[in-house]
C-alpha cells in the first residue's frame, strides 16, 4: 500500500497540465480615457471646417480614437462663417481619426445651402468626405419636394442624393 500511494500521486500529477499561454481570450474590454458632462468638442483637422459638437455626456476612448455621446447637437460652418450643416441625435459613436459619426435615435440633419432636412432613426455621417448614408426609413424634405424611402445615400458637397427605394414622394415643380 505504501508503494501504491506514491505511484497514484505521480500518475495524478503527470495527467495534469498547466496553461502557460498568454493569448487573449474573449473581447477586449474598453476603458474610457475621460467622461465629460455637458461637453463641447471640436471634430476636425486644421485647414478644414470642423464640426462643433455639444452633448450632455461624452465618453472618450483615446486608445481607440473614438468617442460616444448622449443627446448630441452639432454644427459645421462654411468658409463665410454661415451655418452649413446642423444636426442632432439621441446618441452618436464618433471615430475621431476618420472624423465620422454614426448617429442613432431621432436623427435630424439639415444642409442649409440646399434647404434640405433629413430625419432618420440611424445615419452615418463622414465629415471628412461630407457623405451620409442611412439604411432604414429616411424622410427628406427640400425645395425639390418631400420623400420617404430606404437606402439613402448622399454627398453633401456635390448635393447628390439617392434612395434604394422610395415609398412615397412629391416633387415640387
Amino acid at each position: 500500500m505504501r508503494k501504491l500511494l506514491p505511484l497514484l500521486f505521480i500518475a495524478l500529477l503527470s495527467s495534469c497540465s498547466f496553461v502557460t499561454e498568454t493569448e487573449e481570450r474573449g473581447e477586449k474590454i474598453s476603458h474610457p480615457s475621460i467622461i465629460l458632462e455637458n461637453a463641447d468638442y471640436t471634430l476636425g483637422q486644421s485647414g478644414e471646417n470642423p464640426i462643433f459638437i455639444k452633448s450632455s455626456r461624452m465618453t472618450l476612448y483615446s486608445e481607440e480614437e473614438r468617442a460616444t455621446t448622449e443627446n448630441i447637437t452639432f454644427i459645421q460652418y462654411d468658409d463665410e462663417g454661415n451655418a452649413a450643416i446642423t444636426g442632432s441625435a439621441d446618441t452618436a459613436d464618433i471615430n475621431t481619426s476618420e472624423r465620422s459619426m454614426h448617429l442613432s435615435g431621432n436623427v435630424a440633419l439639415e444642409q442649409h445651402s440646399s434647404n434640405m432636412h433629413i430625419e432618420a432613426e440611424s445615419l452615418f455621417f463622414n465629415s471628412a468626405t461630407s457623405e451620409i448614408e442611412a439604411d432604414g426609413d429616411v424622410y427628406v424634405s427640400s425645395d425639390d419636394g418631400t420623400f420617404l424611402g430606404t437606402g439613402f445615400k448622399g454627398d453633401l458637397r456635390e448635393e447628390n442624393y439617392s434612395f434604394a427605394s422610395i415609398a412615397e414622394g412629391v416633387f415640387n415643380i
Side-chain angles (χ1 to χ4, degrees):
M1 182 73 164
R2 287 184 190 176
K3 290 183 182 181
L4 187 58
L5 191 58
L7 288 175
L8 285 174
F9 185 70
I10 290 173
L12 184 62
L13 284 178
S14 65
S15 66
C16 293
S17 63
F18 296 97
V19 178
T20 58
E21 299 175 13
T22 58
E23 176 179 316
E24 289 185 33
R25 299 184 194 266
E27 292 185 33
K28 183 179 175 183
I29 297 173
S30 296
H31 296 288
S33 304
I34 190 168
I35 299 172
L36 304 169
E37 301 289 333
N38 300 317
D40 290 344
Y41 185 80
T42 303
L43 180 65
Q45 292 198 1
S46 127
E48 66 181 26
N49 298 331
I51 294 180
F52 299 97
I53 297 170
K54 290 184 178 284
S55 68
S56 64
R57 181 179 178 96
M58 178 177 276
T59 306
L60 293 162
Y61 300 87
S62 297
E63 287 183 16
E64 298 171 24
E65 298 181 323
R66 73 179 190 93
T68 59
T69 67
E70 297 173 14
N71 303 315
I72 180 174
T73 60
F74 58 91
I75 188 167
Q76 183 177 33
Y77 297 99
D78 62 17
D79 292 334
E80 288 79 42
N82 301 313
I85 298 169
T86 56
S88 63
D90 293 341
T91 62
D93 192 358
I94 301 169
N95 183 316
T96 57
S97 65
E98 294 178 5
R99 301 179 316 280
S100 62
M101 299 187 289
H102 184 265
L103 306 162
S104 300
N106 300 307
V107 177
L109 186 132
E110 188 161 347
Q111 182 185 32
H112 296 272
S113 65
S114 63
N115 198 29
M116 182 175 61
H117 182 77
I118 302 167
E119 294 177 11
E121 193 55 36
S122 174
L123 184 131
F124 178 78
F125 174 35
N126 186 329
S127 70
T129 63
S130 294
E131 294 175 340
I132 55 176
E133 190 172 330
D135 291 330
D137 290 341
V138 179
Y139 173 79
V140 177
S141 67
S142 71
D143 293 338
D144 295 330
T146 58
F147 306 94
L148 176 64
T150 58
F152 180 76
K153 292 184 180 185
D155 184 327
L156 298 172
R157 281 190 195 135
E158 300 295 323
E159 296 185 4
N160 293 323
Y161 310 101
S162 66
F163 284 95
S165 68
I166 295 177
E168 57 186 71
V170 175
F171 276 107
N172 297 333
I173 297 178

